[in-house]
Amino acid sequence: MLRAVRAATASRSVRFLYGGAVLPGTYTRMRQAADWNGVALGRAAQDAGMLAETIAELLDDAESRAQHQVR
């Protein structure tokens, strides 16, 4: 669905935020399926361990994306 919306809005500067349940592992799987610009943390923010895992996953992806943009 996100790919179709991205294609339909390709001529505009549009950013997409995923607001569903972003838990450890969810972000990476969804990021591989489509390109979106941000997330909202819900349940993960209520548990310190889950929050740390989720943030680590987000930071790993951000670092990887930054390295690919430099090349």
Side-chain angles (χ1 to χ4, degrees), residues 8-28:
T9 60
S11 64
R12 301 182 196 131
S13 177
V14 179
R15 299 180 64 87
F16 294 93
L17 174 70
Y18 175 74
V22 178
L23 304 171
T26 304
Y27 176 80
T28 300

Side-chain angles (χ1 to χ4, degrees), residues 30-64:
M30 291 191 65
R31 188 80 171 126
Q32 292 168 349
D35 187 26
W36 36 279
N37 304 101
V39 299
L41 296 176
R43 249 182 304 159
Q46 298 174 13
D47 178 280
M50 192 181 302
L51 179 60
E53 286 181 59
T54 304
I55 289 174
E57 187 175 341
L58 296 169
L59 292 174
D60 285 345
D61 181 67
E63 182 178 326
S64 176

